Amino acid sequence: MLNQIYKTIKKYDTIVIARHIGVDPDAMASQIALRDAILLTFPKKKVYAVGSGSSKFSYLGKLDKLEDLKDEKLLIVLDTPDKRRVDGVDVDSFADSIKIDHHPFMEKFCELELIDDTASSTCQLIIDLIYHTKLKMNTEIAGKLFLGLVSDSNRFLFQNSTEHTFRLVADLLRDYHLDIVSLYQDLYMRPLHEVRLQGYIAQNMIVTDHGVGYIKLTSDIISKFQADAGSAGNMVNNFNYIEEVIVWATISEDKKNNIIKVNIRSRGPQINHVAEKYNGGGHALASGARVPTMEEAEQLIEDLDSVCEQYLK
Ligand code: AMP
């Protein structure tokens, strides 16, 4: 499969690399690293990494504007299990397509699909692709792939941080002498007001009868801490390992987009099916959903509580 992907990449002069809406470090690092690896290997190709970015992740590099391309082009979709969440391109307008993803399978929408939901991250799959084909890497590309992998595995906390994951990271460290202290600084440095919001969440988290910890963050609260719905939701990653809590969620009101974002994490019960019921999805133990009202968010929490109740039985 990796060689088939390489051969397809080699065949096309114009390549567009897309990923899911609601960009995160694994999605953005994998697309920028793959773009740069293809350009390093084939300098004459035109390669575009597209989709809405976020200034928060500017340390990962710049995305591209898609020109009106007349030539036959290849689409590579990264980190996205379903067509409706592909950001910035019309999937059906390409001559050929490849998907590389580590989410549980949802639907086939590309010609060639490499899906491994046991992989820690899409970046891990890209590291494998580069090491097993004639694609080239350099220190900058290696650093981005390291950051995407570290971010999506939440610093190797999750089950899918396997022996293979650690071997690949060891290979990167050996071959590219990564300065991990400076890379971690890019990924984890944040302003004091975000840390204060984290404190607010810890102080005000509600825990249900069966171990769902959740916090409702209205746009007023989010503004009070000078944060935005995206960074507020990301804080869900900081609340693992609380004895009384087995599933936890942040409910963040995004007034600008008139939506309520729910970020969910679990230490046991499978939660992606609940997220799918509420216009969301994701991994077994890390999912997200979007709901129109706080009432619906509360219903989602009740469903999570039932899942925990079953799990505890
Ligand atoms: P997040 O909480 O945003 O870090 O997302 C955790 C996981 O759930 C990631 O794999 C996301 O791609 C996925 N996810 C988040 N929101 C949604 C959504 N609205 N629909 C489908 N998947 C989502």
Side-chain angles (χ1 to χ4, degrees):
M1 176 66 101
L2 295 176
N3 260 314
Q4 244 177 308
I5 291 175
Y6 175 76
K7 276 186 196 156
T8 310
I9 288 173
K10 196 171 168 198
K11 195 169 127 191
Y12 286 90
D13 292 332
T14 305
I15 300 170
V16 175
I17 307 176
R19 41 75 193 157
H20 60 76
I21 52 172
V23 65
D24 61 36
D26 183 38
M28 186 157 159
S30 59
Q31 71 173 160
I32 287 181
L34 180 59
R35 174 195 69 192
D36 294 351
I38 296 173
L39 286 171
L40 191 64
T41 318
F42 305 103
K44 288 189 181 146
K45 287 189 192 294
K46 285 189 274 179
V47 191
Y48 303 84
V50 301
S52 303
S54 161
S55 55
K56 261 198 323 237
F57 309 137
S58 56
Y59 57 84
L60 292 172
K62 278 208 165 83
L63 293 165
D64 304 299
K65 279 223 167 69
L66 199 50
E67 296 162 28
D68 190 16
L69 304 163
K70 298 278 178 285
D71 26 348
E72 286 236 299
K73 49 198 190 297
L74 167 69
L75 173 67
I76 305 178
V77 177
L78 301 179
D79 200 37
T80 315
D82 50 345
K83 197 164 154 183
R84 80 184 165 104
R85 294 191 80 232
V86 179
D87 192 4
V89 291
D90 173 7
V91 172
D92 298 318
S93 67
F94 290 79
D96 208 346
S97 57
I98 296 171
K99 186 211 285 181
I100 301 175
D101 187 25
H102 78 127
H103 289 88
F105 175 79
M106 285 184 79
E107 60 171 333
K108 179 166 164 55
F109 61 88
C110 290
E111 296 294 322
L112 206 55
E113 300 207 340
L114 170 64
I115 295 158
D116 179 0
D117 64 5
T118 67
S120 67
S121 54
T122 298
C123 280
Q124 175 174 322
L125 298 173
I126 301 299
I127 300 168
D128 255 331
L129 174 70
I130 297 176
Y131 268 125
H132 287 94
T133 63
K134 289 181 184 151
L135 284 173
K136 292 180 185 162
M137 203 180 326
N138 58 24
T139 303
E140 215 177 305
I141 295 169
K144 284 169 188 171
L145 290 166
F146 174 82
L147 284 182
L149 186 158
V150 165
S151 170
D152 237 43
S153 65
N154 206 359
R155 258 180 289 172
F156 309 101
L157 283 183
F158 300 147
Q159 187 92 49
N160 53 14
S161 297
T162 57
E163 180 193 337
H164 184 59
T165 312
F166 283 101
R167 274 188 205 286
L168 287 180
V169 171
D171 289 347
L172 288 185
L173 293 176
R174 181 197 58 212
D175 296 340
Y176 297 99
H177 311 288
L178 299 182
D179 177 355
I180 59 168
V181 173
S182 136
L183 288 167
Y184 278 133
Q185 193 157 305
D186 282 340
L187 191 57
Y188 292 117
M189 191 64 81
R190 68 251 200 251
L192 181 60
H193 57 81
E194 279 193 14
V195 182
R196 291 202 160 118
L197 175 56
Q198 198 174 308
Y200 174 89
I201 296 173
Q203 290 282 351
N204 294 284
M205 180 183 278
I206 297 169
V207 182
T208 66
D209 289 348
H210 303 102
V212 180
Y214 69 97
I215 181 86
K216 277 192 252 175
L217 298 169
T218 60
S219 63
D220 285 349
I221 293 170
I222 294 170
S223 320
K224 192 175 140 202
F225 288 96
Q226 301 165 55
D228 55 51
S231 54
N234 268 337
M235 289 191 186
V236 76
N237 293 316
N238 299 330
F239 291 91
N240 206 339
Y241 301 114
I242 300 173
E243 277 178 9
E244 294 82 354
V245 171
I246 46 176
V247 166
W248 60 104
T250 49
I251 301 168
S252 321
E253 185 184 21
D254 180 352
K255 248 198 179 146
K256 206 169 73 189
N257 295 306
N258 204 19
I259 199 89
I260 294 166
K261 222 185 151 227
V262 189
N263 300 68
I264 317 161
R265 298 293 183 266
S266 168
R267 234 164 355 98
Q270 193 173 338
I271 48 163
N272 52 337
H273 299 312
V274 176
E276 279 163 25
K277 214 176 123 186
Y278 293 89
N279 193 27
H283 304 279
L285 304 182
S287 293
R290 280 159 186 243
V291 292
T293 60
M294 277 293 174
E295 289 70 39
E296 205 166 308
E298 273 159 25
Q299 205 140 28
L300 190 160
I301 298 296
E302 276 177 32
D303 284 0
L304 289 174
D305 190 59
S306 303
V307 166
C308 286
E309 185 179 9
Q310 286 301 318
Y311 178 80
L312 291 170
K313 274 185 192 159

